[in-house]
Amino acid sequence: MPTLQILGILAGLLTTQIADDVEQAKVMSLLRALASEETEDATFYLLEDLGSTAVPYLVAALEHESPEIRTTSVKMLGGIGAEAKPAVSALTNRLRDDVVKVRSSAAETLGWIRQEPVVAVPALIAALRDKAASVRQMAAWSLGQFEAEAKSALPRLTDILNDDDRLAVVYAARAIGTID
C-alpha cells in the first residue's frame, strides 16, 4: 500500500474524530501536505504542530489490521516526540507485533519519544532478544537515548556486543557509552 494512501487513511481517521475546528484545520493542512511532493517532511512538521491531539487516534491505528498502517502510525508518533508520551504503553505492545517492520519501528520510536522509562526500558531490553536484527538494532539505539535511565539495560547491551549483526553491536556500544 503506497505511503500516500496510508497517510490519507490515517488523516481521514483523524478528521472524523476531531470535533475542534482549529484541530480540524490542522488535520486538513496535514491532508494537503500528503498531496505534496515533500510528503514525509511536511507530514512530520504538521504532526509536530498537532502534537498530543493526534496521539489517541494514532494509538488507535496501532491496532489496525494493516501492518503498513501500524508502521506508519508508529513512525508518526515518533515524529510527535515527547508529546506522544501517552502512546508508550501501546508502543511497547507493538514490540511483540507479528511484523518485523512494525517491531523495529516501535523500538526506534520509543527512543524518539524518550518518556516513561519505567515502562519503555524493560520492553526495549526484552526486544534485544528479538530474532530480527533490525529490532535488536533499534532497541539498542533507543536504550542509548534514555541514557542513565536505562542503566538496567547494561548487562543485556554488553551481551549484544557479541551479536552476529554488526550494526546491533555498534548501536549497543554507543548505548553503553551514553548510559554508563
Side-chain angles (χ1 to χ4, degrees):
M1 187 178 292
T3 301
L4 184 59
Q5 185 180 358
I6 294 165
L7 295 174
I9 291 168
L10 289 171
L13 287 171
L14 289 171
T15 57
T16 60
Q17 297 182 34
I18 299 176
D20 183 274
D21 289 339
V22 174
E23 298 306 322
Q24 278 274 357
K26 288 179 182 178
V27 173
M28 292 312 294
S29 293
L30 174 61
L31 284 169
R32 283 191 292 281
L34 294 174
S36 77
E37 291 180 15
E38 299 171 355
T39 300
E40 192 170 315
D41 290 341
T43 301
F44 283 106
Y45 287 125
L46 286 164
L47 279 170
E48 192 173 279
D49 188 40
L50 268 175
S52 60
T53 303
V55 172
Y57 308 106
L58 292 171
V59 168
L62 293 176
E63 300 300 324
H64 197 277
E65 65 186 37
S66 165
E68 291 88 357
I69 288 179
R70 292 195 309 273
T71 301
T72 302
S73 299
V74 166
K75 290 180 179 181
M76 289 177 150
L77 287 163
I80 292 171
E83 284 188 68
K85 179 180 177 178
V88 169
S89 180
L91 287 166
T92 62
N93 291 336
R94 289 299 100 205
L95 291 172
R96 294 183 302 278
D97 197 281
D98 292 337
V99 178
V100 171
K101 190 170 183 176
V102 175
R103 293 195 311 269
S104 63
S105 295
E108 180 181 11
T109 292
L110 287 166
W112 287 113
I113 294 172
R114 288 185 13 213
Q115 298 288 316
E116 302 288 344
V118 172
V119 175
V121 169
L124 288 166
I125 292 170
L128 290 173
R129 297 189 187 283
D130 197 286
K131 293 176 187 173
S134 63
V135 177
R136 295 192 307 276
Q137 294 163 7
M138 291 297 94
W141 176 83
S142 287
L143 286 163
Q145 303 310 299
F146 280 93
E147 298 175 344
E149 294 174 307
K151 214 166 188 89
S152 62
L154 288 173
R156 185 64 191 123
L157 285 166
T158 302
D159 291 344
I160 294 292
L161 296 176
N162 296 315
D163 197 283
D164 291 336
D165 183 76
R166 293 293 110 206
L167 196 51
V169 171
V170 169
Y171 284 134
R174 287 181 182 166
I176 290 167
T178 59
I179 293 168
D180 207 12

